[in-house]
Amino acid sequence: MTSTLFTGISEARTVSEAGTIRDAAIVVEDGVVQWVGPRTHAPAADNAVDLQDKAVLPGWVDSHTHMVFAGSRAAEFESRMAGEDYQAGGIAVTMEATRAAGLGQLEKLLRDRIRGAHAGGTTSLETKTGYGLDVPSEQMAAKLAAEYVGDVTFLGAHLVPPGANAEEYVDLVVGDMLNAVVDYVDWIDVFCERGAFDEEQSRRVLKAGQERGLGLRVHGNQLGEGPGVQLAVELGAASVDHVNYVTDADVEALASSDTVATLLPACDLSTRQPLAPARRLIDAGAHIAIASNLNPGTSNTSSMNFCVGTAVLQQYLSLDEAIHAATSGGARALLRHDVGGGRDPRGRPAKGTIVPGAAADFHVLTTPQAIDLAFRPGMPMTWRAYVAGELVHENG
Ligand code: NIG
């Protein structure tokens, strides 16, 4: 086993009790952080990497994406910018294109999307099925995603396919479809929203997944107030995502639970929904995460840099709060956060923090100060991404 000493770190945002360390160094061995602290105190290592006076953060943990899809909905987006409302029914357009694409095309698209995420400093990804909506297509998506992505979510309950009966479709989701995907997925999710699945249908889907050992996630309170948040908290979901329209009772329920409220600012902008109330949630004591929600309908970007900048500029988070939400917050939403000694709840190297024992997943910026994520919006901010200490992307 060889160790590597990283220096030339103007600031290391550790997202831990150590806070921000100026003129820092990090030692990595066997894919995990061995040591982090001021460069002048760094222990010797076998190899050395000079990061040339750049800021280093944990890699982004993007805990909500929909990466397995084909086709474009640019025309739908253009109509929305001209005044149309977002409607869940657009999912059916992507369903057609995804079913028509073969495995080879979907695999190429997925690989390109993962490369794009790395190019923006993302080092951990969750992704969902949900554009197949029949048994073979959902199984293909789940199997493909499991080959490339650490956390895979079954979202057969994304939309009732056109022409199907809603109750019969839920029967299929909790029956044959769940059976077909359960070996490939870690999580089950449901779009609990007007135009998609109601509270009882959502409860059925989530409980069926829970009985098969899957963790729970919920799409909720995106297009209006609704039961999503309360249902997620009641069933102990790891995360409820979107949360644009929340009542005081929803905020209280989140604040007194372990369920993470996952904010999706790029989606909010692209659907012209009010930005989720990040400040209100944090001030109440809720756990929050920030994710890209990469998908063809509501958020056609994997740029976590953009999401973090937006959270600072428009959702009134401090830079530290926004970075925390997009790293350790995302990790918590996937139960990959540090619960002590750099280990996650299952004893694996934790994600989203730079502490001894955690995964050596780093995001090296193009600049010496991380505040540029908000101060220089839209500028190229990612220089390098490392996963388990290995360079996975370098922008020229
Ligand atoms: O998270 N809200 C539901 N699902 C996706 C969008 C799906 C689509 O319109 O394709 C989301 O925003």
Side-chain angles (χ1 to χ4, degrees):
M1 260 182 318
T2 57
S3 55
T4 303
L5 169 67
F6 291 85
T7 58
I9 301 173
S10 53
E11 59 179 39
R13 300 260 172 173
T14 65
V15 191
S16 75
E17 279 174 7
T20 298
I21 303 169
R22 315 270 166 207
D23 190 10
I26 303 171
V27 178
V28 172
E29 191 172 303
D30 200 20
V32 303
V33 175
Q34 289 296 327
W35 184 91
V36 55
R39 177 187 52 81
T40 50
H41 294 59
D46 303 314
N47 303 311
V49 175
D50 179 1
L51 295 174
Q52 302 174 25
D53 197 34
K54 301 294 189 282
V56 173
L57 330 174
W60 301 132
V61 179
D62 191 350
S63 59
H64 184 140
T65 78
H66 306 247
M67 288 200 158
V68 185
F69 69 86
S72 165
R73 284 164 49 203
E76 173 191 316
F77 173 75
E78 194 169 349
S79 309
R80 201 154 66 235
M81 294 304 104
E84 294 290 318
D85 281 344
Y86 170 71
Q87 312 249 334
I91 294 166
V93 174
T94 303
M95 177 199 78
E96 296 291 351
T98 304
R99 285 183 186 175
L103 176 62
Q105 192 195 343
L106 286 176
E107 183 168 15
K108 181 180 180 316
L109 289 165
L110 176 61
R111 288 167 65 110
D112 288 350
R113 288 175 187 134
I114 292 171
R115 221 181 345 267
H118 285 157
T122 296
T123 54
S124 295
L125 281 163
E126 177 270 5
T127 203
K128 304 175 199 302
T129 71
Y131 290 113
L133 307 185
D134 62 19
V135 173
S137 315
E138 284 293 303
Q139 187 185 48
M140 185 200 284
K143 210 168 165 182
L144 177 60
E147 277 178 46
Y148 289 96
V149 173
D151 282 270
V152 179
T153 300
F154 170 46
L155 183 57
H158 202 185
L159 184 78
V160 178
N165 168 279
E167 294 306 323
E168 285 170 15
Y169 184 68
V170 174
D171 290 345
L172 181 71
V173 169
V174 302
D176 289 353
M177 203 181 270
L178 179 56
N179 280 335
V181 301
V182 75
D183 290 342
Y184 309 108
V185 302
D186 311 283
W187 303 94
I188 190 162
D189 196 343
V190 59
F191 188 10
C192 178
E193 197 78 46
R194 167 170 45 88
F197 296 87
D198 68 20
E199 180 175 356
E200 278 324 302
Q201 293 164 340
S202 301
R203 187 189 305 276
R204 236 186 115 200
V205 169
L206 294 169
K207 285 195 149 184
Q210 203 164 39
E211 279 164 18
R212 302 297 295 273
L214 303 180
L216 309 186
R217 328 187 65 73
V218 175
H219 282 65
N221 303 61
Q222 176 185 5
L223 305 174
E225 288 177 8
V229 167
Q230 298 288 344
L231 185 62
V233 170
E234 175 198 321
L235 297 181
S239 182
V240 55
D241 303 31
H242 287 288
V243 295
N244 299 84
Y245 295 91
V246 285
T247 62
D248 288 346
D250 293 335
V251 174
E252 274 168 35
L254 286 165
S256 52
S257 78
D258 289 330
T259 301
V260 175
T262 298
L263 317 178
L264 308 166
C267 171
D268 302 346
L269 294 174
S270 176
T271 51
R272 294 203 167 141
Q273 294 291 327
L275 287 156
R279 197 59 280 144
R280 189 169 149 216
L281 288 160
I282 290 195
D283 291 346
H287 296 292
I288 68 158
I290 292 173
S292 75
N293 192 16
L294 169 72
N295 77 75
T298 64
S299 189
N300 203 346
T301 179
S302 62
S303 177
M304 292 289 283
N305 293 342
F306 174 77
C307 293
V308 166
T310 300
V312 173
L313 291 166
Q314 298 197 43
Q315 291 178 291
Y316 299 93
L317 298 194
S318 69
L319 178 67
D320 279 337
E321 287 170 333
I323 290 175
H324 186 283
T327 55
S328 180
R332 181 180 287 273
L334 297 170
L335 302 181
R336 295 301 309 255
H337 59 297
D338 180 18
V339 292
R343 296 285 145 167
D344 78 6
R346 287 168 56 188
R348 299 168 294 186
K351 305 279 190 178
T353 179
I354 304 177
V355 294
D361 294 357
F362 308 138
H363 179 193
V364 185
L365 300 188
T366 53
T367 78
Q369 58 274 324
I371 190 62
D372 288 349
L373 287 160
F375 187 43
R376 305 183 66 211
M379 300 301 287
M381 289 305 303
T382 299
W383 178 33
R384 289 182 178 177
Y386 288 87
V387 174
E390 300 293 326
L391 184 65
V392 294
H393 197 94
E394 176 169 316
N395 292 306

